[in-house]
């Protein structure tokens, strides 16, 4: 639904740098990290200060526009399914920075800051954070959608590590924490972009200087034995172990290392938060499967950002997701039979442990029930490839429907979905009542 514009959009330029359709830079400005997501907003704002965000949100409201916050556009696929013709896209990529308080073990990060910058700033203090697998995902979209880290089975969802947020709402700049605006503080930790533009986040850091982490890699011909063994192992793996299993296919590309180029593989990776001897004991049943490559070792905590080998640059991608319950041998067979050509990967991310336990002080998304998060992704450089990729991803999700739960993980959800599936029923109702209609998120309430 579009609303009538009440002011010429040129007026937005008084608030901050703004790019409009027809401007030479419009196509570059509207391009998200997921370059397959075709966003066509009414205008793109590029603020570099909190004051500019406050001014441009006010100007957008006065002009009859809604506002969509965006940090990197890793999660832009679902936003692209919306009509953005009356929406101002506020890109936070120019509002970044990290301040670490080593004594308090916290970091304050500005709205568009990437995880790689938080991890780099924390590392000299022997600290790290509940980051995800990719260095260039932003803190904001990840923590406000829950956030699944390779530290997560021990420490829970990353949203629960947020201590305070500064949010530009339709009433202006608001600080929210356990002590100030507690309702907003609860809502934003899960309801993210539906409540306002987050311009700063204070996070708890973990006292972790190094970590036992890495990957085990086999040719795909070993996938039946490896997947069955990992599923069996995961049933009793300690909470200190957070791992993922992926069936992956790489095209023959000269820029890829030979162990990946042109190959179909099965890869287990992640972290084990134990001393070396205990971690080796935990991983022994997987290592007994004789991986072709084994990089698990003690590494500086910052190295965990490289373990999952996420794409280093903006990538066109489509995907599908579901949350699975316990898996048996039939489930493993169905999974492997459904992962066909056309997918870059089909991943099972191990849940459980602290992911499933909401802390007393948690927000709207404080836990994720289920045993595994299934995520299937295809590279989609053309619209035809996107159609084929979506079909391939959906095929795996459909094949696993016998083992699926009804809930979804927001950060793994690539398409517009029923947002009530992200939250517990009562939390969903409370959150939906708090939605600010001025704002548009990739996943609406
Ligand atoms: C390669 C790759 C690896 C990933 N690995 C993981 C992983 O290990 N664990 C995991 O949980 N997820 C992972 N994700 C998913 C990722 O966490 C989500 O896509 C997340 O939403 C990205 O946040 P972003 O801010 O970078 O992206 P954006 O697309 O900019 O943001 C997504 C949504 O978050 C909200 N938002 C973003 N910034 C703000 C802000 N400043 N204020 C208010 N709302 C905001 C908006 O509603 C926006 O539509 C991965 C994604 C990719 C592509």
């Amino acid at each position: 639904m579009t609303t009538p514009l009440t002011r010429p959009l040129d007026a937005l330029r008084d608030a901050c740098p703004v790019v409009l359709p027809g401007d030479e830079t419009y196509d570059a400005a509207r391009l998200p990290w997921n370059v397959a997501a075709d966003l066509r907003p009414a205008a793109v704002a590029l603020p570099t200060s909190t004051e500019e965000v406050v001014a441009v949100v006010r100007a957008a409201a006065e002009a009859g526009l809604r506002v969509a916050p965006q940090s990197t556009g890793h999660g832009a696929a679902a936003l692209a399914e919306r009509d953005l013709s009356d929406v101002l896209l506020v890109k936070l990529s120019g509002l970044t920075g990290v301040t670490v308080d080593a004594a308090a073990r916290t970091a304050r990060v500005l709205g568009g800051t990437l995880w790689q910058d938080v991890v780099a700033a924390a590392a000299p203090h022997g600290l790290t954070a509940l980051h995800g697998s990719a260095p260039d995902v932003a803190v904001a979209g990840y923590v406000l959608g829950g956030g699944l880290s390779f530290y997560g089975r021990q420490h829970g969802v990353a949203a629960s590590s947020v201590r305070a947020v500064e949010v530009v709402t339709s009433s202006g700049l608001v600080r929210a924490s356990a002590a100030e605006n507690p309702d907003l503080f609860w809502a934003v930790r899960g309801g993210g972009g539906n409540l306002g533009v987050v311009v700063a986040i204070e996070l708890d850091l973990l006292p972790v200087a190094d970590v036992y982490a890495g990957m085990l890699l086999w040719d795909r011909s070993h996938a039946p034995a490896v997947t069955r063994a990992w599923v069996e192992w995961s049933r009793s793996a300690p909470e200190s172990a957070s791992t993922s299993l992926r069936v992956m296919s790489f095209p023959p590309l000269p820029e890829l290392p030979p162990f990946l180029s042109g190959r179909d593989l099965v890869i287990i990776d992640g972290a084990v938060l134990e001393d070396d001897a205990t971690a080796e004991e935990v991983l022994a049943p997987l290592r007994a499967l004789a991986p072709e490559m084994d990089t698990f070792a003690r590494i500086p905590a910052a190295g965990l950002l490289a373990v999952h080998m996420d794409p280093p640059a903006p990538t066109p991608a489509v995907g599908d997701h579901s949350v699975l319950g316990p898996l048996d041998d039939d489930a493993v067979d169905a999974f492997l039979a459904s992962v066909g050509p056309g997918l870059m990967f089909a991943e099972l991310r191990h849940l459980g442990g602290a992911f499933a336990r909401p802390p007393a002080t948690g927000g709207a998304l404080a836990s994720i029930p289920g045993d595994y998060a299934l995520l299937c992704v295809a590279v989609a450089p053309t619209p035809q490839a996107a159609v084929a990729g979506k079909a391939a991803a959906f095929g795996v999700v459909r094949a696993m429907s016998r083992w699926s739960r009804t809930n979804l993980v927001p950060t793994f959800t690539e398409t517009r979905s029923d947002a009530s599936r992200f939250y517990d029923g009562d939390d969903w109702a409370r959150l939906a009542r708090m939605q600010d209609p001025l704002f548009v998120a990739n996943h609406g309430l």
Side-chain angles (χ1 to χ4, degrees):
M1 194 180 63
T2 55
T3 45
L5 295 182
T6 49
R7 286 205 180 177
L9 296 186
D10 272 343
L12 296 171
R13 298 197 211 260
D14 295 339
C16 85
V18 167
V19 181
L20 297 175
D23 289 350
E24 221 174 274
T25 53
Y26 177 74
D27 282 339
R30 70 186 179 86
L31 203 63
W33 184 94
N34 181 352
V35 293
D38 185 13
L39 307 176
R40 293 186 180 271
V44 183
L46 302 165
T48 54
S49 68
T50 296
E51 294 70 29
E52 287 187 343
V53 176
V54 172
V56 86
V57 167
R58 192 185 311 123
E62 286 169 3
L65 293 177
R66 298 179 74 201
V67 172
Q70 185 179 77
S71 290
T72 65
H74 275 78
L79 192 62
E81 292 180 40
R82 293 176 181 275
D83 173 7
L84 301 181
S85 58
D86 66 345
V87 170
L88 172 70
L89 185 67
V90 177
K91 292 184 82 159
L92 281 303
S93 47
L95 182 62
T96 60
V98 188
T99 315
V100 171
D101 181 338
R105 285 193 198 151
T106 58
R108 180 175 188 276
V109 310
L110 298 184
T113 306
L114 307 185
W115 274 119
Q116 62 195 21
D117 297 326
V118 182
V119 169
H125 307 284
L127 300 170
T128 194
L130 287 175
H131 60 80
S133 61
D136 60 352
V137 161
V139 176
Y142 170 91
V143 296
L144 303 179
L148 298 184
S149 171
F150 280 134
Y151 298 113
R153 278 177 32 86
Q154 181 121 314
H155 294 286
V157 297
S160 303
S161 71
V162 174
R163 282 198 177 189
V165 285
E166 290 156 43
V167 193
V168 178
T169 69
S170 46
S171 327
L173 181 62
V174 180
R175 186 179 155 85
S177 66
E180 308 146 277
N181 299 297
D183 277 351
L184 178 61
F185 183 54
W186 174 85
V188 84
R189 290 177 296 154
N194 291 290
L195 284 309
V197 183
V198 172
V199 290
I201 303 175
E202 285 170 33
L203 290 168
D204 282 327
L205 298 175
L206 296 176
V208 172
D210 49 50
V211 57
Y212 201 88
M215 71 161 173
L216 308 172
L217 175 150
W218 297 259
D219 187 80
R220 181 161 174 179
S221 54
H222 297 276
V226 170
T227 310
R228 278 180 190 223
W230 179 77
V231 165
E232 166 73 27
W233 172 86
S234 68
R235 286 188 198 119
S236 57
E239 292 188 2
S240 55
S242 296
T243 59
S244 136
L245 178 142
R246 279 173 300 168
V247 177
M248 303 192 77
S249 294
F250 292 91
L253 293 173
E255 60 268 34
L256 288 174
F259 70 90
L260 298 180
S261 182
R263 296 202 57 198
D264 294 324
L265 301 165
V266 56
I267 295 179
I268 295 170
D269 60 9
V272 184
L273 310 184
E274 303 282 5
D275 59 52
D276 290 3
T278 312
E280 281 163 20
E281 216 174 288
V282 167
L283 291 170
L286 302 175
R287 284 179 154 155
L289 302 165
E292 169 187 324
M293 191 175 226
D294 175 356
T295 67
F296 268 97
R298 185 149 301 275
I299 58 170
L304 187 54
L305 278 170
V307 159
H308 207 55
M309 301 184 300
D310 280 323
T315 302
V318 292
D320 206 352
H321 154 69
S322 64
V323 173
L324 307 177
L327 300 182
D328 52 19
D329 286 352
D330 285 352
V332 170
D333 293 346
F335 173 65
L336 294 176
S338 63
V339 183
L343 283 179
M344 177 166 63
F345 66 83
E347 171 168 9
L348 296 169
R349 190 79 69 103
H350 191 197
L351 299 175
F355 281 134
R357 285 193 299 271
T361 53
L365 211 150
S367 63
I368 306 213
D371 293 76
Y372 307 92
L374 168 66
L375 177 63
C376 306
V377 172
V379 176
T382 63
Q384 293 81 352
V387 171
K390 277 183 194 170
F394 178 66
V396 183
V397 169
R398 189 179 43 212
M400 298 308 287
S401 56
R402 236 175 87 195
W403 298 273
S404 300
R405 298 173 47 92
T406 52
N407 61 303
L408 295 172
V409 178
T411 52
F412 276 22
T413 301
E414 289 286 324
T415 54
R416 256 190 98 183
S417 303
D418 173 1
S420 69
R421 294 176 65 187
F422 300 142
Y423 313 97
D424 283 347
D426 291 349
D427 290 342
W428 156 246
R430 180 178 169 194
L431 200 49
R433 283 195 300 276
M434 292 186 67
Q435 150 107 61
D436 185 331
L438 181 61
F439 295 97
V440 183
N442 56 350
H443 299 301
L445 296 181

